[in-house]
Amino acid sequence: VKATLLPVAKAWCAQRAKATEEKAAPAASTAPTQGSLDLSAIQSTIEREYDLEEYSEFDDFLDIALQFAHLTMFSSAMPLAALCAWVNNVFEMRADMYKLCAYSQRIFPHAAVGIGSWLWTFEAISVAAVLTNVALIGWTTPWFDDTMESVFGLVEPFQPHHKLTVLVGIEHVLLCVKGLIAVVVPDVPERVTI
């Protein structure tokens, strides 16, 4: 809500304040003469767009990274979080569209090979997500203890140091699978040429 509504409300308030100031100031009469071109409407649009706030993609990437972190790190604790994130993204997409079209300067396109340093941020989040989910499932659910006792045929409860050893092993296997997928699946599909 903060990331979606606050920038729009802030820009709307700034525009209303500026419009109030312009109405309060006495306007000089600049009626166009016969045959001359009236540039006042065009100039006011250009000036209005120039006065808008510059768009910064940092905040949008930060919102995406935080949502990705919460979603992946704690998905085992709240599987419904994916649905909540989807609903949030539907509303945020519309609010961002409105913010980009009405409350920020036009964005000039620039060439980029990728998403820059954000790629390493998402990689670190995905590794942390593996660690967090293994720890959450291993230490908080009775399912894990019951499964390990039935797999190893233990009559007595699973000891904490045995549990830690198994969890570290599972975590290493999952990180190896993640690394294997990263190597096998190409970053750019073969049909796409750059």
Side-chain angles (χ1 to χ4, degrees):
V1 173
K2 179 186 79 116
T4 304
L5 297 179
L6 192 61
V8 173
K10 179 182 162 189
W12 183 80
C13 289
Q15 277 188 349
R16 299 299 291 177
K18 185 170 181 178
T20 305
E21 287 176 10
E22 288 175 357
K23 284 181 183 178
S29 91
T30 55
T33 59
Q34 185 76 13
S36 68
L37 182 61
D38 182 18
L39 296 178
S40 61
I42 296 171
Q43 289 171 343
S44 66
T45 302
I46 293 169
E47 289 171 351
R48 188 178 69 242
E49 288 181 5
Y50 179 77
D51 289 338
L52 293 175
E53 200 174 294
E54 281 190 39
Y55 172 72
S56 171
E57 62 189 22
F58 178 80
D59 291 335
D60 289 337
F61 267 110
L62 184 62
D63 287 340
I64 293 168
L66 286 172
Q67 186 180 56
F68 178 70
H70 286 110
L71 188 64
T72 56
M73 286 187 193
F74 305 112
S75 61
S76 60
M78 186 183 172
L80 204 60
L83 179 64
C84 295
W86 179 77
V87 170
N88 174 57
N89 287 342
V90 167
F91 288 110
E92 191 162 346
M93 186 170 48
R94 296 296 291 178
D96 285 347
M97 183 262 323
Y98 191 67
K99 178 178 68 174
L100 288 172
C101 292
Y103 294 115
S104 63
Q105 292 180 3
R106 292 183 187 185
I107 304 168
F108 291 102
H110 59 280
V113 178
I115 59 173
S117 61
W118 288 103
L119 178 64
W120 298 109
T121 303
F122 286 108
E123 285 292 329
I125 290 171
S126 64
V127 169
V130 170
L131 302 174
T132 305
N133 283 307
V134 168
L136 281 172
I137 291 172
W139 291 107
T140 62
T141 60
W143 168 84
F144 183 78
D145 292 334
D146 297 340
T147 304
M148 289 300 111
E149 288 172 11
S150 66
V151 166
F152 292 115
L154 300 173
V155 179
E156 59 201 46
F158 211 54
Q159 297 298 321
H161 61 279
H162 293 135
K163 183 190 269 190
L164 181 62
T165 304
V166 171
L167 290 176
V168 169
I170 291 171
E171 170 260 327
H172 276 63
V173 168
L174 290 175
L175 286 178
C176 288
V177 168
K178 180 193 169 319
L180 182 66
I181 290 172
V183 169
V184 171
V185 176
D187 292 338
V188 178
E190 293 175 5
R191 66 178 184 268
V192 175
T193 57
I194 297 179

